[in-house]
Amino acid sequence: MSANISNATDADFDQAVKSHKLVLVDFWAEWCGPCRALTPKLEEIATEMASEVKVIKVNIDENPQAPSKFNVRSIPMMVLFKDGQSVDQILGNLPKDQIASMIKRHA
């Protein structure tokens, strides 16, 4: 995983989403093929847009509380936080430009 992507747990989730002006949280699981396919795109975004957004991954199997707070029923699901508040979300292994476009709308 890229040095620009962090992992968050239920214990540090609230602090993690407040750690940067914009934080993209990827809710995923090890067994999820689309989640694994999405990771390289998120690594590119985390590197290319490092000054704009922080990318965080939350494993839903190991951390059930954070996903339930945001009604995660299907993965991969990405939730964008601005100043610690959820402002947007997208579902699925989408093209990199669609994810980047969502981030830029809120930057």
Side-chain angles (χ1 to χ4, degrees), residues 25-82:
V25 177
D26 173 32
F27 291 100
W28 72 288
E30 194 68 45
W31 49 263
C32 170
C35 298
R36 289 193 311 271
L38 178 65
T39 297
K41 297 175 206 174
L42 293 179
E43 288 175 348
E44 288 178 20
I45 287 170
T47 300
E48 294 168 8
M49 301 180 77
S51 63
E52 297 168 66
V53 68
K54 182 175 183 176
V55 178
I56 294 174
K57 295 178 77 67
V58 175
N59 184 317
I60 65 164
D61 289 333
E62 297 170 0
N63 304 284
Q65 292 173 350
S68 70
K69 260 195 240 183
F70 296 96
N71 216 17
V72 176
R73 299 206 188 285
S74 185
I75 55 173
M77 180 172 158
M78 291 161 279
V79 179
L80 186 66
F81 292 83
K82 184 172 187 174

Short mmCIF file of all heavy atoms in Angstrom, two decimals, residues 25-82:
data_model
loop_
_atom_site.label_atom_id
_atom_site.label_comp_id
_atom_site.label_asym_id
_atom_site.label_seq_id
_atom_site.Cartn_x
_atom_site.Cartn_y
_atom_site.Cartn_z
N VAL A 25 -12.49 8.23 2.60
CA VAL A 25 -12.45 6.96 3.33
C VAL A 25 -12.96 5.86 2.41
O VAL A 25 -14.07 5.95 1.88
CB VAL A 25 -13.29 7.02 4.61
CG1 VAL A 25 -13.29 5.66 5.31
CG2 VAL A 25 -12.78 8.10 5.55
N ASP A 26 -12.14 4.84 2.24
CA ASP A 26 -12.51 3.66 1.45
C ASP A 26 -12.88 2.54 2.41
O ASP A 26 -12.03 2.05 3.15
CB ASP A 26 -11.32 3.25 0.58
CG ASP A 26 -11.55 1.93 -0.15
OD1 ASP A 26 -12.71 1.64 -0.50
OD2 ASP A 26 -10.57 1.19 -0.37
N PHE A 27 -14.16 2.17 2.42
CA PHE A 27 -14.61 1.04 3.22
C PHE A 27 -14.43 -0.21 2.34
O PHE A 27 -14.98 -0.26 1.24
CB PHE A 27 -16.08 1.21 3.63
CG PHE A 27 -16.27 2.32 4.62
CD1 PHE A 27 -16.73 3.57 4.22
CD2 PHE A 27 -15.99 2.12 5.96
CE1 PHE A 27 -16.93 4.59 5.14
CE2 PHE A 27 -16.18 3.14 6.90
CZ PHE A 27 -16.64 4.37 6.48
N TRP A 28 -13.69 -1.19 2.83
CA TRP A 28 -13.31 -2.34 2.02
C TRP A 28 -13.20 -3.59 2.90
O TRP A 28 -13.32 -3.52 4.12
CB TRP A 28 -11.98 -2.07 1.32
CG TRP A 28 -10.82 -2.08 2.29
CD1 TRP A 28 -10.51 -1.14 3.24
CD2 TRP A 28 -9.86 -3.12 2.44
NE1 TRP A 28 -9.41 -1.54 3.96
CE2 TRP A 28 -8.98 -2.75 3.48
CE3 TRP A 28 -9.65 -4.34 1.79
CZ2 TRP A 28 -7.93 -3.54 3.89
CZ3 TRP A 28 -8.58 -5.12 2.19
CH2 TRP A 28 -7.74 -4.72 3.23
N ALA A 29 -12.95 -4.72 2.24
CA ALA A 29 -12.68 -5.98 2.93
C ALA A 29 -11.67 -6.79 2.10
O ALA A 29 -11.62 -6.66 0.87
CB ALA A 29 -13.95 -6.79 3.14
N GLU A 30 -10.90 -7.60 2.77
CA GLU A 30 -9.86 -8.41 2.13
C GLU A 30 -10.43 -9.34 1.06
O GLU A 30 -9.84 -9.54 0.01
CB GLU A 30 -9.13 -9.23 3.21
CG GLU A 30 -7.84 -9.84 2.75
CD GLU A 30 -6.75 -8.82 2.47
OE1 GLU A 30 -6.55 -7.91 3.28
OE2 GLU A 30 -6.09 -8.95 1.42
N TRP A 31 -11.61 -9.88 1.29
CA TRP A 31 -12.21 -10.86 0.39
C TRP A 31 -12.90 -10.23 -0.82
O TRP A 31 -13.36 -10.92 -1.72
CB TRP A 31 -13.24 -11.71 1.15
CG TRP A 31 -14.20 -10.89 1.97
CD1 TRP A 31 -14.10 -10.61 3.29
CD2 TRP A 31 -15.37 -10.21 1.52
NE1 TRP A 31 -15.14 -9.80 3.71
CE2 TRP A 31 -15.94 -9.55 2.62
CE3 TRP A 31 -16.02 -10.10 0.28
CZ2 TRP A 31 -17.11 -8.79 2.54
CZ3 TRP A 31 -17.18 -9.33 0.20
CH2 TRP A 31 -17.71 -8.70 1.30
N CYS A 32 -12.97 -8.92 -0.87
CA CYS A 32 -13.71 -8.19 -1.91
C CYS A 32 -12.82 -7.90 -3.13
O CYS A 32 -11.93 -7.06 -3.06
CB CYS A 32 -14.24 -6.89 -1.29
SG CYS A 32 -14.94 -5.72 -2.46
N GLY A 33 -13.08 -8.59 -4.22
CA GLY A 33 -12.30 -8.41 -5.45
C GLY A 33 -12.34 -6.99 -5.99
O GLY A 33 -11.29 -6.41 -6.30
N PRO A 34 -13.52 -6.37 -6.12
CA PRO A 34 -13.57 -4.99 -6.59
C PRO A 34 -12.80 -4.02 -5.67
O PRO A 34 -12.23 -3.05 -6.13
CB PRO A 34 -15.07 -4.66 -6.62
CG PRO A 34 -15.73 -6.00 -6.80
CD PRO A 34 -14.87 -6.96 -6.03
N CYS A 35 -12.80 -4.33 -4.37
CA CYS A 35 -12.05 -3.49 -3.43
C CYS A 35 -10.55 -3.55 -3.73
O CYS A 35 -9.87 -2.53 -3.75
CB CYS A 35 -12.28 -3.95 -1.99
SG CYS A 35 -13.98 -3.84 -1.43
N ARG A 36 -10.06 -4.76 -3.97
CA ARG A 36 -8.64 -4.92 -4.29
C ARG A 36 -8.30 -4.25 -5.61
O ARG A 36 -7.23 -3.67 -5.77
CB ARG A 36 -8.27 -6.40 -4.30
CG ARG A 36 -8.26 -7.02 -2.90
CD ARG A 36 -7.60 -8.38 -2.87
NE ARG A 36 -8.07 -9.30 -3.88
CZ ARG A 36 -9.10 -10.13 -3.76
NH1 ARG A 36 -9.78 -10.15 -2.63
NH2 ARG A 36 -9.45 -10.93 -4.73
N ALA A 37 -9.22 -4.32 -6.59
CA ALA A 37 -8.99 -3.69 -7.89
C ALA A 37 -8.99 -2.16 -7.79
O ALA A 37 -8.34 -1.48 -8.58
CB ALA A 37 -10.06 -4.15 -8.88
N LEU A 38 -9.70 -1.63 -6.81
CA LEU A 38 -9.78 -0.18 -6.61
C LEU A 38 -8.51 0.39 -5.98
O LEU A 38 -8.14 1.55 -6.23
CB LEU A 38 -10.99 0.14 -5.72
CG LEU A 38 -11.23 1.59 -5.34
CD1 LEU A 38 -11.55 2.42 -6.58
CD2 LEU A 38 -12.37 1.68 -4.34
N THR A 39 -7.82 -0.40 -5.19
CA THR A 39 -6.67 0.08 -4.42
C THR A 39 -5.61 0.80 -5.26
O THR A 39 -5.16 1.88 -4.86
CB THR A 39 -6.06 -1.07 -3.59
OG1 THR A 39 -7.06 -1.49 -2.65
CG2 THR A 39 -4.83 -0.62 -2.83
N PRO A 40 -5.18 0.26 -6.43
CA PRO A 40 -4.17 1.01 -7.21
C PRO A 40 -4.63 2.40 -7.63
O PRO A 40 -3.83 3.34 -7.67
CB PRO A 40 -3.92 0.11 -8.43
CG PRO A 40 -4.38 -1.25 -8.02
CD PRO A 40 -5.48 -1.02 -7.02
N LYS A 41 -5.91 2.54 -7.93
CA LYS A 41 -6.44 3.86 -8.30
C LYS A 41 -6.37 4.82 -7.12
O LYS A 41 -6.01 5.98 -7.26
CB LYS A 41 -7.89 3.75 -8.78
CG LYS A 41 -8.07 2.93 -10.03
CD LYS A 41 -9.54 2.78 -10.34
CE LYS A 41 -9.79 1.53 -11.12
NZ LYS A 41 -11.20 1.27 -11.31
N LEU A 42 -6.72 4.31 -5.93
CA LEU A 42 -6.66 5.14 -4.73
C LEU A 42 -5.22 5.51 -4.39
O LEU A 42 -4.96 6.61 -3.92
CB LEU A 42 -7.33 4.43 -3.56
CG LEU A 42 -8.84 4.23 -3.69
CD1 LEU A 42 -9.39 3.48 -2.48
CD2 LEU A 42 -9.57 5.55 -3.88
N GLU A 43 -4.29 4.60 -4.66
CA GLU A 43 -2.88 4.91 -4.42
C GLU A 43 -2.42 6.04 -5.33
O GLU A 43 -1.71 6.94 -4.90
CB GLU A 43 -2.02 3.66 -4.62
CG GLU A 43 -2.21 2.64 -3.51
CD GLU A 43 -1.46 1.33 -3.75
OE1 GLU A 43 -0.96 1.10 -4.87
OE2 GLU A 43 -1.39 0.54 -2.79
N GLU A 44 -2.85 6.01 -6.59
CA GLU A 44 -2.51 7.09 -7.53
C GLU A 44 -3.12 8.41 -7.07
O GLU A 44 -2.46 9.45 -7.07
CB GLU A 44 -3.00 6.76 -8.93
CG GLU A 44 -2.20 5.66 -9.60
CD GLU A 44 -2.74 5.30 -10.98
OE1 GLU A 44 -3.46 6.13 -11.59
OE2 GLU A 44 -2.43 4.19 -11.45
N ILE A 45 -4.38 8.38 -6.67
CA ILE A 45 -5.06 9.60 -6.19
C ILE A 45 -4.35 10.13 -4.95
O ILE A 45 -4.10 11.33 -4.83
CB ILE A 45 -6.55 9.33 -5.92
CG1 ILE A 45 -7.29 9.18 -7.26
CG2 ILE A 45 -7.17 10.43 -5.06
CD1 ILE A 45 -8.72 8.69 -7.15
N ALA A 46 -4.01 9.23 -4.03
CA ALA A 46 -3.35 9.65 -2.79
C ALA A 46 -2.01 10.31 -3.07
O ALA A 46 -1.62 11.24 -2.36
CB ALA A 46 -3.17 8.44 -1.87
N THR A 47 -1.33 9.86 -4.10
CA THR A 47 -0.04 10.45 -4.46
C THR A 47 -0.21 11.74 -5.24
O THR A 47 0.37 12.77 -4.92
CB THR A 47 0.79 9.44 -5.28
OG1 THR A 47 0.98 8.26 -4.48
CG2 THR A 47 2.13 10.01 -5.68
N GLU A 48 -1.04 11.69 -6.28
CA GLU A 48 -1.22 12.84 -7.18
C GLU A 48 -1.97 14.00 -6.53
O GLU A 48 -1.75 15.16 -6.88
CB GLU A 48 -1.95 12.40 -8.45
CG GLU A 48 -1.15 11.42 -9.29
CD GLU A 48 -1.98 10.76 -10.38
OE1 GLU A 48 -3.16 11.15 -10.59
OE2 GLU A 48 -1.45 9.83 -11.01
N MET A 49 -2.86 13.70 -5.59
CA MET A 49 -3.69 14.74 -4.98
C MET A 49 -3.37 14.89 -3.49
O MET A 49 -4.22 15.33 -2.71
CB MET A 49 -5.17 14.40 -5.18
CG MET A 49 -5.59 14.28 -6.64
SD MET A 49 -7.34 13.87 -6.83
CE MET A 49 -8.10 15.47 -6.50
N ALA A 50 -2.15 14.57 -3.10
CA ALA A 50 -1.77 14.57 -1.68
C ALA A 50 -2.00 15.91 -1.00
O ALA A 50 -2.33 15.97 0.18
CB ALA A 50 -0.32 14.14 -1.53
N SER A 51 -1.85 17.01 -1.74
CA SER A 51 -2.05 18.32 -1.12
C SER A 51 -3.53 18.64 -0.94
O SER A 51 -3.89 19.51 -0.15
CB SER A 51 -1.38 19.40 -1.96
OG SER A 51 -1.98 19.48 -3.24
N GLU A 52 -4.41 17.93 -1.66
CA GLU A 52 -5.84 18.21 -1.60
C GLU A 52 -6.61 17.26 -0.70
O GLU A 52 -7.60 17.66 -0.07
CB GLU A 52 -6.45 18.13 -3.01
CG GLU A 52 -5.90 19.15 -3.97
CD GLU A 52 -6.31 18.85 -5.40
OE1 GLU A 52 -7.52 18.93 -5.69
OE2 GLU A 52 -5.43 18.53 -6.21
N VAL A 53 -6.21 15.99 -0.67
CA VAL A 53 -7.02 14.99 0.03
C VAL A 53 -6.13 13.95 0.70
O VAL A 53 -5.05 13.64 0.21
CB VAL A 53 -8.01 14.29 -0.95
CG1 VAL A 53 -7.29 13.43 -1.97
CG2 VAL A 53 -9.07 13.51 -0.22
N LYS A 54 -6.59 13.45 1.82
CA LYS A 54 -5.93 12.33 2.50
C LYS A 54 -6.82 11.11 2.28
O LYS A 54 -8.04 11.19 2.42
CB LYS A 54 -5.81 12.63 4.00
CG LYS A 54 -5.11 11.55 4.77
CD LYS A 54 -4.91 11.97 6.21
CE LYS A 54 -4.15 10.90 6.95
NZ LYS A 54 -3.85 11.32 8.32
N VAL A 55 -6.20 9.98 1.89
CA VAL A 55 -6.95 8.76 1.64
C VAL A 55 -6.74 7.80 2.81
O VAL A 55 -5.61 7.55 3.22
CB VAL A 55 -6.52 8.10 0.30
CG1 VAL A 55 -7.28 6.80 0.08
CG2 VAL A 55 -6.75 9.06 -0.86
N ILE A 56 -7.86 7.29 3.31
CA ILE A 56 -7.85 6.37 4.45
C ILE A 56 -8.67 5.13 4.09
O ILE A 56 -9.74 5.25 3.48
CB ILE A 56 -8.44 7.05 5.70
CG1 ILE A 56 -7.55 8.20 6.14
CG2 ILE A 56 -8.65 6.05 6.83
CD1 ILE A 56 -8.12 9.02 7.26
N LYS A 57 -8.18 3.97 4.48
CA LYS A 57 -8.90 2.72 4.26
C LYS A 57 -9.39 2.17 5.60
O LYS A 57 -8.67 2.23 6.59
CB LYS A 57 -8.00 1.69 3.58
CG LYS A 57 -7.59 2.13 2.16
CD LYS A 57 -6.67 1.16 1.49
CE LYS A 57 -7.33 -0.07 0.96
NZ LYS A 57 -8.24 0.10 -0.15
N VAL A 58 -10.63 1.66 5.60
CA VAL A 58 -11.21 1.05 6.79
C VAL A 58 -11.68 -0.36 6.40
O VAL A 58 -12.57 -0.52 5.56
CB VAL A 58 -12.40 1.87 7.34
CG1 VAL A 58 -13.06 1.14 8.50
CG2 VAL A 58 -11.95 3.25 7.76
N ASN A 59 -11.07 -1.37 7.02
CA ASN A 59 -11.46 -2.75 6.80
C ASN A 59 -12.74 -3.01 7.59
O ASN A 59 -12.74 -2.96 8.82
CB ASN A 59 -10.34 -3.69 7.25
CG ASN A 59 -10.64 -5.13 6.96
OD1 ASN A 59 -11.75 -5.61 7.17
ND2 ASN A 59 -9.63 -5.85 6.49
N ILE A 60 -13.84 -3.28 6.87
CA ILE A 60 -15.14 -3.41 7.53
C ILE A 60 -15.26 -4.67 8.39
O ILE A 60 -16.07 -4.71 9.30
CB ILE A 60 -16.31 -3.33 6.54
CG1 ILE A 60 -16.29 -4.53 5.59
CG2 ILE A 60 -16.29 -2.01 5.78
CD1 ILE A 60 -17.59 -4.73 4.85
N ASP A 61 -14.46 -5.69 8.09
CA ASP A 61 -14.52 -6.92 8.89
C ASP A 61 -13.86 -6.72 10.25
O ASP A 61 -14.30 -7.28 11.25
CB ASP A 61 -13.83 -8.08 8.15
CG ASP A 61 -14.64 -8.54 6.96
OD1 ASP A 61 -15.87 -8.38 6.96
OD2 ASP A 61 -14.03 -9.07 6.00
N GLU A 62 -12.81 -5.91 10.28
CA GLU A 62 -12.09 -5.67 11.52
C GLU A 62 -12.64 -4.49 12.31
O GLU A 62 -12.36 -4.34 13.50
CB GLU A 62 -10.61 -5.42 11.21
CG GLU A 62 -9.92 -6.62 10.58
CD GLU A 62 -8.54 -6.31 10.06
OE1 GLU A 62 -8.07 -5.15 10.19
OE2 GLU A 62 -7.91 -7.24 9.51
N ASN A 63 -13.41 -3.63 11.64
CA ASN A 63 -13.91 -2.40 12.24
C ASN A 63 -15.37 -2.20 11.86
O ASN A 63 -15.68 -1.44 10.94
CB ASN A 63 -13.07 -1.20 11.77
CG ASN A 63 -11.61 -1.40 12.08
OD1 ASN A 63 -11.20 -1.27 13.22
ND2 ASN A 63 -10.82 -1.77 11.07
N PRO A 64 -16.31 -2.83 12.55
CA PRO A 64 -17.72 -2.76 12.15
C PRO A 64 -18.46 -1.48 12.55
O PRO A 64 -19.50 -1.16 11.97
CB PRO A 64 -18.34 -3.97 12.86
CG PRO A 64 -17.47 -4.18 14.06
CD PRO A 64 -16.08 -3.79 13.63
N GLN A 65 -17.95 -0.73 13.51
CA GLN A 65 -18.69 0.44 14.00
C GLN A 65 -18.72 1.59 13.00
O GLN A 65 -19.78 2.17 12.74
CB GLN A 65 -18.12 0.92 15.33
CG GLN A 65 -18.35 -0.06 16.45
CD GLN A 65 -17.64 0.35 17.73
OE1 GLN A 65 -16.82 1.26 17.74
NE2 GLN A 65 -17.95 -0.35 18.81
N ALA A 66 -17.56 1.96 12.44
CA ALA A 66 -17.52 3.08 11.49
C ALA A 66 -18.40 2.83 10.27
O ALA A 66 -19.18 3.71 9.89
CB ALA A 66 -16.08 3.38 11.09
N PRO A 67 -18.34 1.65 9.65
CA PRO A 67 -19.22 1.42 8.50
C PRO A 67 -20.71 1.49 8.85
O PRO A 67 -21.50 2.01 8.06
CB PRO A 67 -18.85 0.01 8.03
CG PRO A 67 -17.53 -0.28 8.62
CD PRO A 67 -17.41 0.55 9.85
N SER A 68 -21.07 1.03 10.03
CA SER A 68 -22.49 1.07 10.39
C SER A 68 -22.96 2.51 10.60
O SER A 68 -24.11 2.84 10.31
CB SER A 68 -22.78 0.21 11.61
OG SER A 68 -22.24 0.78 12.77
N LYS A 69 -22.07 3.38 11.07
CA LYS A 69 -22.42 4.80 11.24
C LYS A 69 -22.80 5.45 9.92
O LYS A 69 -23.61 6.37 9.88
CB LYS A 69 -21.21 5.57 11.79
CG LYS A 69 -21.23 5.84 13.25
CD LYS A 69 -20.18 6.90 13.57
CE LYS A 69 -19.17 6.34 14.54
NZ LYS A 69 -18.18 7.32 14.94
N PHE A 70 -22.17 4.98 8.83
CA PHE A 70 -22.38 5.59 7.52
C PHE A 70 -23.19 4.69 6.59
O PHE A 70 -23.18 4.86 5.39
CB PHE A 70 -21.03 6.01 6.93
CG PHE A 70 -20.39 7.06 7.76
CD1 PHE A 70 -19.45 6.72 8.72
CD2 PHE A 70 -20.80 8.37 7.67
CE1 PHE A 70 -18.89 7.67 9.55
CE2 PHE A 70 -20.26 9.34 8.50
CZ PHE A 70 -19.30 8.99 9.44
N ASN A 71 -23.89 3.72 7.19
CA ASN A 71 -24.83 2.89 6.45
C ASN A 71 -24.18 2.16 5.28
O ASN A 71 -24.77 2.07 4.21
CB ASN A 71 -26.01 3.74 5.99
CG ASN A 71 -27.32 2.99 6.04
OD1 ASN A 71 -27.41 1.95 6.69
ND2 ASN A 71 -28.31 3.50 5.35
N VAL A 72 -22.97 1.66 5.48
CA VAL A 72 -22.27 0.92 4.43
C VAL A 72 -22.92 -0.46 4.31
O VAL A 72 -22.84 -1.27 5.21
CB VAL A 72 -20.76 0.79 4.77
CG1 VAL A 72 -20.07 -0.06 3.72
CG2 VAL A 72 -20.12 2.16 4.87
N ARG A 73 -23.57 -0.68 3.17
CA ARG A 73 -24.25 -1.95 2.94
C ARG A 73 -23.60 -2.74 1.80
O ARG A 73 -23.87 -3.92 1.63
CB ARG A 73 -25.72 -1.72 2.61
CG ARG A 73 -26.48 -1.03 3.72
CD ARG A 73 -27.94 -1.38 3.65
NE ARG A 73 -28.77 -0.62 4.55
CZ ARG A 73 -28.84 -0.81 5.86
NH1 ARG A 73 -28.09 -1.69 6.43
NH2 ARG A 73 -29.65 -0.08 6.60
N SER A 74 -22.78 -2.07 1.02
CA SER A 74 -22.11 -2.68 -0.12
C SER A 74 -20.72 -2.06 -0.22
O SER A 74 -20.55 -0.88 0.11
CB SER A 74 -22.93 -2.43 -1.39
OG SER A 74 -22.36 -3.09 -2.48
N ILE A 75 -19.75 -2.85 -0.67
CA ILE A 75 -18.39 -2.33 -0.80
C ILE A 75 -17.84 -2.67 -2.19
O ILE A 75 -18.34 -3.60 -2.82
CB ILE A 75 -17.46 -2.89 0.31
CG1 ILE A 75 -17.47 -4.41 0.32
CG2 ILE A 75 -17.80 -2.29 1.65
CD1 ILE A 75 -16.47 -5.04 1.25
N PRO A 76 -16.88 -1.92 -2.67
CA PRO A 76 -16.25 -0.78 -2.02
C PRO A 76 -17.17 0.44 -2.02
O PRO A 76 -17.88 0.70 -2.98
CB PRO A 76 -15.01 -0.52 -2.86
CG PRO A 76 -15.35 -1.04 -4.23
CD PRO A 76 -16.27 -2.20 -3.99
N MET A 77 -17.13 1.14 -0.91
CA MET A 77 -17.86 2.40 -0.78
C MET A 77 -16.90 3.44 -0.25
O MET A 77 -16.16 3.18 0.69
CB MET A 77 -19.03 2.25 0.20
CG MET A 77 -19.83 3.51 0.38
SD MET A 77 -21.31 3.18 1.34
CE MET A 77 -21.66 4.81 1.97
N MET A 78 -16.89 4.59 -0.90
CA MET A 78 -16.01 5.67 -0.49
C MET A 78 -16.86 6.84 0.01
O MET A 78 -17.84 7.21 -0.63
CB MET A 78 -15.14 6.12 -1.66
CG MET A 78 -14.11 5.07 -2.05
SD MET A 78 -13.46 5.33 -3.71
CE MET A 78 -14.78 4.60 -4.68
N VAL A 79 -16.47 7.36 1.15
CA VAL A 79 -17.16 8.51 1.73
C VAL A 79 -16.14 9.64 1.83
O VAL A 79 -15.04 9.44 2.33
CB VAL A 79 -17.75 8.19 3.12
CG1 VAL A 79 -18.43 9.41 3.72
CG2 VAL A 79 -18.73 7.02 3.03
N LEU A 80 -16.52 10.82 1.33
CA LEU A 80 -15.65 11.99 1.38
C LEU A 80 -16.05 12.87 2.56
O LEU A 80 -17.24 13.20 2.72
CB LEU A 80 -15.75 12.78 0.07
CG LEU A 80 -14.78 13.94 -0.08
CD1 LEU A 80 -13.33 13.45 -0.14
CD2 LEU A 80 -15.11 14.76 -1.33
N PHE A 81 -15.07 13.22 3.37
CA PHE A 81 -15.29 14.08 4.52
C PHE A 81 -14.59 15.41 4.28
O PHE A 81 -13.47 15.46 3.81
CB PHE A 81 -14.70 13.44 5.79
CG PHE A 81 -15.44 12.21 6.23
CD1 PHE A 81 -15.18 10.98 5.66
CD2 PHE A 81 -16.41 12.30 7.22
CE1 PHE A 81 -15.86 9.85 6.07
CE2 PHE A 81 -17.10 11.17 7.63
CZ PHE A 81 -16.82 9.95 7.05
N LYS A 82 -15.30 16.48 4.61
CA LYS A 82 -14.73 17.83 4.55
C LYS A 82 -14.86 18.43 5.94
O LYS A 82 -15.97 18.48 6.48
CB LYS A 82 -15.47 18.69 3.52
CG LYS A 82 -14.85 20.06 3.33
CD LYS A 82 -15.49 20.79 2.16
CE LYS A 82 -14.76 22.07 1.88
NZ LYS A 82 -15.27 22.72 0.66
#
